[in-house]
Amino acid sequence: TVRAASGGMMDGGRTYLIQEAGRVAGIGESAIRRGVKDGLIPHIKLNRVVLIPKASFHLWLDSAGQQPQRRTA
């Protein structure tokens, strides 16, 4: 698979990069990174590249509103 200059997959790929996942979810890149770091967002890490499988990410997004949110003080 070849990546386009914009970072997107030329063939419609099955994964998102951090930035792409943020755009899809309508949240910032730092929130996606935090979710990955905390193990909340399903991902694959290859060396320093984090790939987020589209199917898993959309399932996670769909279920996010159904789970109790953590409270912060």
Side-chain angles (χ1 to χ4, degrees):
T1 308
V2 180
R3 287 208 175 266
S6 67
M9 301 299 280
M10 289 179 65
D11 66 355
R14 298 182 344 171
T15 60
Y16 290 124
L17 296 174
I18 296 279
Q19 300 85 349
E20 294 168 323
R23 280 194 300 270
V24 167
I27 59 178
E29 183 179 326
S30 61
I32 297 290
R33 288 189 187 282
R34 192 174 324 112
V36 165
K37 181 181 176 193
D38 292 347
L40 299 173
I41 297 176
H43 64 282
I44 301 163
K45 192 166 186 180
L46 300 172
N47 295 320
R48 294 174 44 173
V49 177
V50 175
L51 300 174
I52 301 172
K54 289 180 179 181
S56 299
F57 184 66
H58 287 278
L59 286 173
W60 175 80
L61 275 178
D62 291 344
S63 68
Q66 299 171 9
Q67 299 174 1
Q69 297 296 314
R70 290 188 289 181
R71 291 191 160 209
T72 56

